[in-house]
Amino acid sequence: MTASPPAPEAPAAAIEARGLTKRFGDRVALADVGFAAAPGELLAVIGPNGAGKTTLLSLLAGIREPDAGEIHLPRGEVGFVPQQAALYRRLTVAENLRLFARLERVDDVEGTVERMLGQTGLGERRDDQAGTLSGGNQQRINIAIGLLSSPAVLLLDEPSTGLDPRQRGRLWEFVLALAGRGTTVIFTTHDISEAERYAERVLVLADGQGLFDGTIGELHAAAPAGGAESSDFESAFVRFLAERGH
Amino acid sequence: MRWLLLKDLQIMRRSPLLTVLLIAYPIVIAVLIGFALSRGPDKPRVAFLNEVPPDSPLSVGGEDFDLAGARSELCERIECVPVSSEEEARQKVESGDVLGALILPADLIDKLQTLAGLDPESPTVKILVNEEDPIKAGLVDDRISALLAAANLRISQEVSDVSTSYLNILLNGGDFSFLGDDGFNVLGLRKSEQILRGVRRQLPPDSPDLDALDSVIRFSHLASENLGVAGQLLSSVSQPIKVDKEVVSGDTPSLDTFAIAVAATITLMFVTVLLVAGSLALEREENAFARLTRSLVSKSALLCEKILLGVVVSLVVTLLMLAGLGLFVDLDWGRFGLWIPAILAGGAGFAAFGAAIGGAAKEVRAASLLAFMISLPVAFLSLIPSGTVAPGLYDAIGVVTALFPFDPALRALTGALDAGGPAIGIAIVHLVILVVAYGALARLAVRRFA
């Protein structure tokens, strides 16, 4: 991963990836994928299983190194939130936040912890062990830990998996507020309706290839026409993939 | 049912590491333990050096002693490993190839000859032993005692036969030859009694029947002399052969100290291995590993932290344990300065081993199970003394135990607790090598975590 100062004439992208390629043995998991995302933008990465969504996020997060291609982060680091809550269930909510704040070497540990407790709305449960919280609340702490370093870009890997509708609603309320404060949010999801509802732009991957990068309306337009009964976005997405042999 | 069985076999085939650990490792350990328990040398291997000049006849009290028969009888009880010099014998004992060495001195026959004489002198055989730990020391002493008892019994039977013949002469009379003279006739106690009774009945007081009285006087004199010899004879019969035991290797620590070292090492092993293996596996189970190593800490730093955790906890636990035992057993607190490096090195060895297990396991329970499964049999094998099993088997056990930290940690702790223990420096170097090796294995294993 490389960081370079923005060119004066370049768009104010928070993150930009070019020609990303990743192989696992003979299998190509990601082939020449590129995109850019602006500050405060919500970008959904969608595609069938095995499309390369999680691989793309792991490259952007720096967990894996790409075999080819480069990633530019002109505005700072990225925060990564894995699909399953990555926290210590025997530590309390505050202890988890404090631990990761120290590891992130933030200047004001206690102030940051208080700010995150406020943002997650879990101030009253600060002394509860994380393992006693619901899946939704654990996921909010999970995201809060990813935000401790005040990243310019937040990567969410299927953040709403396993949450009930109410928990999901509260989660997205939290994420939208982050984007409203200028954090670029890139998330993967299998739930097409979720992408339609919250994302400003979608990146479609299939078999490791980038098939589409644009708005929901542009993807609708790019899909072959269907019958009146199949005019929803999910059906359009399926037709889009089918037309391209996926 | 068969499809489920097939499915399980397919899963095992696709998890070679699990299969090796679950099947191959227990088989290897079970075979080693089984052989160690059941296939020790049928007879203890003892180096045998005979310095007695060949064709030296041995006659005890005029009776020829069957030397060749005695040697073959001895070699039926032990596996005699012939050696040509004391140096060779010493080398074999030091290396653990033999349990001990038996050296028959050149003057053995001459001294055995004296046992039936008036000036008996017990011969001394030399025995070289390797008492590298108190268990082995006890074992060697038992074996030597048994061999010595058998040899002494055989010789004492011969001597006792001679003594019986002397007593018969004293009792019943007969010809007696002494120091090569022509011999003379001994009257015997019973005949003396008969004569005395006859004289008493037949002779009046002041009778000049001097011959009979001279016989009685001569017998009385001889009887008193023979009774004096009987004391020495009886002494030589009780233990005809003396033993000069020399410990070639291993200034044996006391059994108490060794027991404490074993207890401390086992505690050190379980606390450290379980803690580190479980703690590392927990990072994976909590999904925190990727988050930590993405940018917050490197994988190597995380492993070092786990090993440090194990070392610190093991130091505290072991010192507390020793302090508690110190209330009941006399520990040499003057050697406290050596306890610390021994515990630190042992703790680091076990911690690195635990990190490798934690890196290989996917969850805490699997890590704990693996730690028990591997550690306990290795600890058992490490306590088998040399010379108690067949040499090839002992070598195999030595290779296996050298690959794990228990044996060097036990040697380090024993050496730290007791001046008579093994050299602590070598054990610590061994542990450092294991820390590096298991650290590298752990580092390879955690690559799979991401």
Side-chain angles (χ1 to χ4, degrees):
Chain A
M1 189 182 296
T2 60
S4 62
E9 67 280 8
I15 184 169
E16 186 175 0
R18 295 194 198 113
L20 289 181
T21 301
K22 182 68 182 175
R23 295 183 189 84
F24 295 108
D26 294 334
R27 189 174 69 84
V28 179
L30 216 54
D32 196 24
V33 172
F35 71 95
E41 187 174 17
L42 269 162
L43 172 67
V45 181
I46 57 176
N49 287 334
K53 302 186 292 294
T54 299
T55 301
L56 175 62
L57 249 60
S58 70
L59 296 184
L60 298 176
I63 293 172
R64 297 180 194 279
E65 289 293 319
D67 294 321
E70 53 188 21
I71 299 163
H72 293 276
L73 292 163
R75 294 161 59 92
E77 288 300 312
V78 296
F80 175 63
V81 179
Q83 182 178 346
Q84 294 186 329
L87 42 81
Y88 297 100
R89 285 156 185 78
R90 289 189 182 270
L91 296 185
T92 66
V93 174
E95 285 168 343
N96 267 292
L97 291 170
R98 194 173 295 120
L99 166 69
F100 284 102
R102 284 176 177 147
L103 291 172
E104 292 279 7
R105 296 183 179 81
V106 301
D107 292 332
D108 179 11
V109 172
E110 290 306 322
T112 305
V113 169
E114 292 305 321
R115 181 164 54 85
M116 285 303 156
L117 286 171
Q119 282 189 22
T120 54
L122 290 171
E124 292 182 358
R125 305 200 65 178
R126 58 184 301 145
D127 294 325
D128 289 356
Q129 288 189 16
T132 64
L133 302 183
S134 67
N137 283 339
Q138 285 189 23
Q139 189 63 310
R140 284 157 77 181
I141 303 170
N142 196 28
I143 295 173
I145 291 171
L147 289 169
L148 281 168
S149 61
S150 302
V153 179
L154 183 65
L155 307 172
L156 303 173
D157 190 9
E158 304 196 19
S160 59
T161 299
L163 303 186
D164 64 35
R166 183 166 169 269
Q167 290 174 331
R168 200 177 302 164
R170 293 178 67 181
L171 171 73
W172 283 111
E173 189 181 327
F174 180 59
V175 173
L176 289 172
L178 288 175
R181 288 194 290 271
T183 304
T184 302
V185 178
I186 301 174
F187 66 96
T188 64
T189 183
H190 278 107
D191 188 340
I192 301 303
S193 64
E194 201 168 64
E196 181 184 22
R197 184 180 300 176
Y198 300 113
E200 296 164 7
R201 215 149 54 82
V202 292
L203 177 66
V204 178
L205 297 180
D207 289 339
Q209 293 183 322
L211 299 183
F212 180 84
D213 182 359
T215 64
I216 301 293
E218 289 168 344
L219 182 58
H220 249 300
E229 71 284 359
S230 56
S231 60
D232 61 289
F233 179 61
E234 187 163 346
S235 301
F237 175 64
V238 171
R239 290 198 301 276
F240 174 86
L241 290 176
E243 187 187 51
R244 286 156 179 80
H246 297 289
Chain B
M1 178 70 85
R2 62 181 169 142
W3 298 119
L4 284 174
L5 184 62
L6 182 64
K7 177 265 296 177
D8 287 336
L9 290 173
Q10 283 174 326
I11 290 173
M12 287 173 67
R13 188 165 59 88
R14 285 167 192 162
S15 308
L17 178 64
L18 180 71
T19 306
V20 166
L21 286 171
L22 282 179
I23 297 175
Y25 174 78
I27 288 175
V28 170
I29 293 295
V31 166
L32 284 175
I33 291 177
F35 274 108
L37 290 174
S38 62
R39 293 289 299 275
D42 296 333
K43 297 178 284 187
R45 283 168 59 81
V46 175
F48 185 73
L49 175 62
N50 186 1
E51 294 180 327
V52 176
D55 304 326
S56 297
L58 172 60
S59 171
V60 180
E63 296 290 327
D64 289 337
F65 191 88
D66 183 9
L67 266 178
R71 186 187 184 286
S72 64
E73 192 176 308
L74 178 70
C75 290
E76 280 177 10
R77 295 174 58 86
I78 61 174
E79 183 183 344
C80 292
V81 179
V83 291
S84 56
S85 68
E86 184 172 333
E87 187 56 35
E88 187 186 354
R90 191 177 296 272
Q91 196 176 3
K92 283 189 178 297
V93 174
E94 277 178 344
S95 68
D97 186 28
V98 293
L99 193 61
L102 178 63
I103 299 172
L104 303 184
D107 62 356
L108 176 74
I109 300 299
D110 293 339
K111 290 189 175 176
L112 281 175
Q113 301 270 25
T114 68
L115 290 177
L118 297 179
D119 187 17
E121 191 178 352
S122 294
T124 301
V125 297
K126 192 168 188 179
I127 288 177
L128 308 179
V129 292
N130 179 344
E131 298 186 341
E132 58 196 16
D133 65 57
I135 295 176
K136 183 170 181 177
L139 188 73
V140 169
D141 281 344
D142 288 347
R143 299 276 191 184
I144 290 172
S145 298
L147 285 174
L148 190 62
N152 278 335
L153 179 64
R154 185 174 172 84
I155 293 169
S156 65
Q157 278 175 345
E158 297 288 340
V159 175
S160 120
D161 288 346
V162 174
S163 302
T164 303
S165 70
Y166 288 166
L167 290 173
N168 279 333
I169 290 171
L170 287 172
L171 188 62
N172 301 316
D175 292 331
F176 182 76
S177 173
F178 180 62
L179 294 176
D181 63 11
D182 293 338
F184 51 86
N185 185 264
V186 176
L187 183 63
L189 286 169
R190 286 176 179 158
K191 287 181 182 171
S192 298
E193 185 181 359
Q194 289 170 3
I195 290 169
L196 285 171
R197 286 180 187 276
V199 169
R200 192 174 181 181
R201 278 198 307 268
Q202 295 173 9
L203 294 180
D206 303 327
S207 171
D209 198 354
L210 295 176
D211 286 341
L213 284 175
D214 285 342
S215 294
V216 174
I217 291 167
R218 190 190 298 170
F219 167 70
S220 299
H221 178 71
L222 190 61
S224 65
E225 277 193 353
N226 277 286
L227 283 174
V229 173
Q232 289 172 300
L233 266 176
L234 287 173
S235 170
S236 62
V237 166
S238 65
Q239 191 175 9
I241 298 177
K242 289 181 179 172
V243 169
D244 174 20
K245 188 175 87 170
E246 180 185 344
V247 178
V248 168
S249 175
D251 189 6
T252 317
S254 73
L255 197 55
D256 275 353
T257 306
F258 185 70
I260 289 170
V262 170
T265 309
I266 289 175
T267 305
L268 189 68
M269 176 180 75
F270 279 127
V271 168
T272 315
V273 173
L274 287 174
L275 175 69
V276 176
S279 173
L280 189 57
L282 186 68
E283 299 291 356
R284 196 178 195 184
E285 204 170 279
E286 300 273 40
N287 305 308
F289 183 81
R291 171 166 267 162
L292 286 174
T293 56
R294 187 176 71 87
S295 60
L296 304 181
V297 290
S298 68
K299 294 182 179 77
S300 298
L302 182 66
L303 284 175
C304 287
E305 182 271 326
K306 297 300 178 194
I307 291 173
L308 182 64
L309 171 75
V311 170
V312 170
V313 172
S314 65
L315 180 66
V316 172
V317 170
T318 310
L319 285 179
L320 282 175
M321 184 184 178
L322 289 174
L325 287 170
L327 298 174
F328 307 100
V329 183
D330 191 20
L331 290 175
D332 185 358
W333 288 91
R335 299 178 64 79
F336 185 79
L338 290 175
W339 297 7
I340 303 298
I343 296 170
L344 288 177
F350 287 126
F353 178 56
I357 291 177
K362 289 183 178 176
E363 54 179 27
V364 176
R365 275 177 294 185
S368 304
L369 185 64
L370 266 180
F372 264 108
M373 213 171 91
I374 297 174
S375 302
L376 206 55
V378 170
F380 173 79
L381 288 175
S382 300
L383 293 172
I384 295 174
S386 64
T388 56
V389 293
L393 178 60
Y394 184 75
D395 290 342
I397 289 173
V399 170
V400 171
T401 55
L403 297 174
F404 296 90
F406 185 88
D407 185 53
L410 176 61
R411 282 188 280 121
L413 267 176
T414 310
L417 289 170
D418 195 315
I424 182 173
I426 297 170
I428 287 179
V429 169
H430 188 166
L431 284 166
V432 168
I433 293 170
L434 289 180
V435 168
V436 173
Y438 280 114
L441 279 176
R443 184 64 184 79
L444 284 174
V446 295
R447 288 178 64 184
R448 302 187 310 136
F449 271 28

